[in-house]
Amino acid sequence: MSHFKFRGFIPAVTKYVKSKPLAEVVAEVIAFGLLMPLAFDGITFFIYMMITGQVDYSATVCNT
């Protein structure tokens, strides 16, 4: 661990952004900054609804 150097957050992000095309950086910001949190919140909310009994299973397509 004596060779480990902490460069800092800002310089690391700056180096990463400068090494990628702008379109790829924008796509990653949208994917990981917007879509991933929305998906995580939606799945979590649906699991919460299933646990608390607020899901109407009679309205599902594959009810048997």
Side-chain angles (χ1 to χ4, degrees):
M1 289 302 268
S2 62
H3 300 289
F4 180 73
K5 239 179 165 179
F6 182 70
R7 297 181 301 160
F9 183 72
I10 301 296
V13 170
T14 304
K15 182 179 177 184
Y16 179 77
V17 168
K18 286 185 177 181
S19 69
K20 301 278 184 183
L22 180 62
E24 189 173 341
V25 173
V26 169
E28 287 180 356
V29 166
I30 290 171
F32 295 109
L34 178 70
L35 297 177
M36 189 174 68
L38 279 174
F40 180 76
D41 289 344
I43 292 168
T44 305
F45 182 68
F46 192 74
I47 290 172
Y48 169 77
M49 296 280 287
M50 286 172 40
I51 290 171
T52 58
Q54 299 176 16
V55 177
D56 183 18
Y57 292 105
S58 66
T60 59
V61 176
C62 38
N63 57 357
T64 54

